[in-house]
Structure formats: C-alpha cells, structure tokens
C-alpha cells in the first residue's frame, strides 16, 4: 500500500489495523459474506500470479539483473519461509463441522488446494528465474515487482503492489474466518470460556469469537508496529532485567513477531502428528471418519519434517522464541483453572450454533 500510493512508512501499521477491522466487520455480517469475500480475493490472487507467470515467460526474454549481496541462510531456515507459502492447508480442519459432506470435501479441498499451490509456486519461481536470472532472484527482496518492472516498466511494479495488497487481504480474511472457529471450540469445551462458543443464528457466525480475535490481533499489531508499542515492550523487559528485543536484526516489528512465534507453530504441528499415534494406540476401536493415507509412513515423515523445522526456527530465533513460549506458559494455569471448573454446561446443539456440537464430524 505504501509503494502503491507513495506514502510514508509510518502509515503501514494503520493499513494493517484497518484491514483487520474492515474484514472482521465483513465476517460479522454473516458467514455468506465472509465466504464470498474469501472466494473473490482468492480468485484475484490466483489470476494475478498467473499474470506474472505469463508476462515473465512470454515477454521476459531471459533478462538477467545484477545481484545485491544476499543474506546468507541455511537450508533449514530457507525451508521455514518456503513452507509459509503452503501455510493455511491445516485451517480446513477448523471449519470441518460446517462443510457439507465433509468426509469427501475436506480431503478433496486439501488435495486440490495443495496441488494448486504447488503448481503455481513452481511456475512463479520459474518466471522469476527466466526474467531475473539466478543471481537476480537471489539478491532481490521483491522479485515479483522486479519481474513486472523489467517486463512492462514502472506501472507493472505498481500493479504488483496492488496484487500483494489483495493477496494479503485474502490471507487475513482466511485466518479471521477459520481462526474464530478455534475460540468457538474452546468455548464449547471449557466452562470458563463458554461465552466464546455462542453463535448468532441469523448470521451463522461466532460474533464473540470474532470480536475477541480482532481485539487480540489489534493489540499485537500496535505493540510491534508502532514506536510507542516497541518502547513499552522494551521498557517492560528492562524492568525485569532483560535485554530489549533486537528489532533491527529481525527486519522490523512484524518479522520479529514471526521469528519469535515460528517455533510454537512447528511444535504444535509436531504434537499433532505425534497425537495421531497416541490416539491410535489408546483408542484403537474408535470410528474415524477420515483415513490417513500411507499410515504409518506418511505421519512419520510429517513428524520428522516438523521436528526439523522446529529445530531450524529455534536456531534462527534463539531466545526471541520466548515471544511464543511465554503466552503458552501463562495459558497453563488458565487451563488448569478451567479444567477444575469442569466441562462447559452448554456443550449440546442449540439454535444459535451450527454443526459444531453435533454430527459425526465432531
């Protein structure tokens, strides 16, 4: 947005705030609105990426660009960021209870989604290499913009800025839509948070979960995206005799937050894979609506990959990973208190909640 409208860098945080507020409001209108916004943004994103591929392959001409000095990273760290391009496939599980014919459509969505992402990802990178050359791609922070600028001039770079804006909005909306369902499940399972499990029957959307999610997100954006927020964080760390965060070392507030929370992301992927074996061992006779292809080889490969990514992200973040571990540690006593209160008294189906509490998709 800053590049598209030639604005000052200090305004970036308010574009982030505005995106979360507007997209949350659209999801509050209803599930149909949120789903429609997601579909439109996803189509625009894919069409834009196809445009890059076509422009690079047809009109690029194999031009080479001079390389700037790249940042030296290991294979593991490179894969941490490469695999973010595929992130989001797991979010399908959060809405499984709201999907029609979920035993067929959830696996179909995962297979088609990952296949489509893989094809697009490889084609886009092939276009980058064809236009910029290996060294040009290696030294570029914005290869998509560089490709379009080399092919069609300055307006091509602006067009890419617009595409990236729409792509980011699609990602944000997807996480808003699916993420709120996590809080709903927590409200269904825990009496302390039962109010998060309520749905609006007319709109078919979890209003309280969306509002809480937005509030937490906005606090994080302002905390790491403004100088005042960073000063408060650093001041708090100094007050407990800790060093301030190395914001510049990790390329700014948002990237610092990504680096610090990446180990938590991978540890939960690893735990999810391990839980598959644990549940198969403890409850062998339970009916399972979804089959794991290639069991046990497939989940073993998944767990080993997640463990390697966990190691790589920890090696990169080092003590900064406390940004992710501290909230988890705070959550432990909250969980124990909630568990002592017993399960939610409102776990059955009711008129203001869709399929989250009923059916064999639970």
């Amino acid at each position: 947005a800053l590049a598209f409208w030639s604005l000052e860098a200090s305004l970036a945080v308010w574009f982030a705030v505005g995106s979360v507020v507007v997209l949350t409001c659209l999801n509050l209108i209803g599930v149909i609105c949120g789903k429609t916004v997601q579909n439109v943004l996803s189509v625009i994103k894919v069409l834009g990426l196809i445009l890059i591929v076509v422009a690079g392959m047809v009109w690029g001409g194999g031009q080479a660009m001079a390389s700037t000095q790249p940042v030296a990273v290991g294979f593991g760290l490179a894969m941490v960021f490469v695999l973010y391009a595929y992130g989001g496939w797991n979010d399908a599980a959060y809405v499984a209870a709201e999907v029609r014919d979920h035993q067929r459509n959830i696996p179909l969505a995962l297979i088609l989604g990952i296949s489509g992402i893989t094809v697009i990802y490889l084609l886009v990178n092939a276009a980058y290499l064809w236009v910029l050359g290996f060294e040009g791609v290696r030294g570029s922070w914005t290869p998509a913009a560089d490709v379009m600028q080399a092919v069609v001039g300055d307006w091509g770079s602006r067009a890419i800025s617009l595409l990236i804006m729409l792509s980011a909005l699609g990602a944000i909306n997807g996480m808003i839509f699916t993420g709120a369902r996590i809080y709903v499940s927590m409200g269904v399972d825990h009496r302390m948070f039962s109010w998060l499990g309520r749905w609006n029957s007319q709109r078919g959307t979890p209003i309280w979960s969306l509002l809480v999610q937005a509030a937490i997100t906005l606090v994080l954006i302002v905390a790491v995206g403004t100088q005042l927020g960073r000063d408060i964080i650093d001041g708090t760390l100094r007050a407990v005799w800790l060093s301030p965060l190395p914001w510049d070392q990790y390329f700014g507030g948002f990237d610092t937050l990504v680096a610090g929370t990446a180990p938590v992301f991978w540890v939960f992927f690893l735990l999810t894979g391990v839980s598959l074996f644990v549940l198969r061992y403890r409850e062998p006779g339970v009916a399972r609506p979804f089959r794991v292809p290639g069991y046990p080889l497939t989940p073993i490969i998944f767990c080993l990959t997640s463990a390697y990514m966990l190691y790589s992200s920890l090696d990169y973040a080092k003590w900064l990973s406390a940004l992710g571990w501290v909230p988890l540690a705070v959550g432990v006593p909250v969980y124990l208190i909630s568990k002592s209160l017993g399960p939610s008294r409102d776990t059955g189906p009711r008129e203001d909640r869709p399929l989250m509490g009923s059916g064999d998709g639970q």
Side-chain angles (χ1 to χ4, degrees):
L2 300 181
F4 187 78
W5 284 298
S6 301
L7 300 173
E8 296 181 3
S10 60
L11 295 175
V13 62
W14 305 116
F15 278 103
V17 167
S19 300
V20 172
V21 171
V22 171
L23 291 173
T24 298
C25 289
L26 290 174
N27 279 274
L28 286 171
I29 292 174
V31 65
I32 300 300
C33 181
K35 181 182 69 173
T36 302
V37 170
Q38 185 62 36
N39 290 339
V40 170
L41 291 173
S42 296
V43 169
I44 293 174
K45 178 195 301 189
V46 172
L47 291 177
L49 290 170
I50 292 174
L51 174 63
I52 295 174
V53 173
V54 173
M57 293 296 188
V58 176
W59 297 292
Q63 306 169 57
M65 293 184 63
S67 170
T68 57
Q69 184 62 35
V71 178
V73 298
F75 176 78
L77 177 60
M79 289 305 298
V80 168
F81 290 102
V82 165
L83 290 178
Y84 272 128
Y86 297 83
W89 63 268
N90 53 298
D91 291 357
Y94 306 153
V95 296
E98 300 171 70
V99 175
R100 296 188 184 93
D101 192 11
H102 46 263
Q103 288 182 261
R104 173 185 178 274
N105 288 328
I106 291 294
L108 186 63
L110 291 173
I111 294 170
L112 293 180
I114 291 296
S115 299
I117 290 172
T118 302
V119 171
I120 294 172
Y121 186 85
L122 293 176
L123 288 175
V124 168
N125 278 276
Y128 292 165
L129 291 169
W130 175 248
V131 176
L132 305 179
F134 179 78
E135 289 300 324
V137 175
R138 187 167 181 253
S140 174
W141 287 99
T142 55
D146 290 343
V147 166
M148 293 303 290
Q149 184 161 4
V151 173
V152 296
D154 291 338
W155 75 267
S157 180
R158 286 173 56 84
I160 288 300
S161 296
L162 178 61
L163 171 63
I164 291 172
M165 276 193 285
L166 295 172
S167 177
L169 289 173
I172 296 169
N173 188 72
M175 288 185 285
I176 289 173
F177 185 92
T178 58
R181 272 63 182 172
I182 300 175
Y183 302 121
V184 171
S185 295
M186 183 172 69
V188 170
D189 292 339
H190 297 276
R191 182 179 300 182
M192 180 184 293
F193 302 102
S194 60
W195 52 281
L196 289 174
R198 298 171 185 167
W199 288 71
N200 183 281
S201 58
Q202 294 181 336
R203 295 186 175 91
T205 190
I207 292 180
W208 283 109
S209 292
L210 285 167
L211 291 175
V212 169
Q213 178 178 249
I216 295 172
T217 305
L218 293 175
V219 168
L220 287 173
I221 290 173
V222 173
V224 304
T226 65
Q227 190 59 50
L228 176 60
R230 296 185 196 182
D231 290 343
I232 292 175
I233 293 174
D234 289 342
T236 303
L237 292 173
R238 291 191 184 98
V240 293
W241 300 285
L242 295 175
S243 302
L245 295 181
W247 304 102
D248 293 335
Q249 179 182 342
Y250 291 94
F251 313 107
F254 176 75
D255 291 287
T256 302
L257 193 60
V258 170
T261 56
V264 174
F265 177 85
W266 286 108
V267 79
F268 273 97
F269 265 27
L270 175 59
L271 290 173
T272 301
V274 171
S275 70
L276 177 66
F277 295 101
V278 173
L279 293 174
R280 286 290 181 96
Y281 175 76
R282 289 184 177 178
E283 303 175 357
V286 173
R288 292 178 167 86
F290 300 100
R291 298 178 60 185
V292 179
Y295 183 87
L297 181 60
T298 304
I300 288 175
I301 294 174
F302 178 84
C303 289
L304 291 175
T305 303
S306 297
Y308 180 62
M309 292 296 100
L310 173 59
Y311 165 77
S312 300
S313 58
L314 281 171
D315 184 60
Y316 177 61
K318 298 181 173 62
W319 69 268
L320 190 66
S321 60
L323 286 174
W325 301 126
V326 169
L328 284 182
V330 173
V332 171
V334 175
Y335 169 76
L336 294 176
I337 294 172
S338 177
K339 188 177 181 180
S340 68
L341 297 175
S344 175
R345 290 169 294 183
D346 186 23
T347 56
R350 49 181 287 170
E351 60 179 2
D352 58 348
R353 184 190 304 141
L355 301 177
M356 293 297 294
S358 61
D360 62 352
Q362 179 67 7

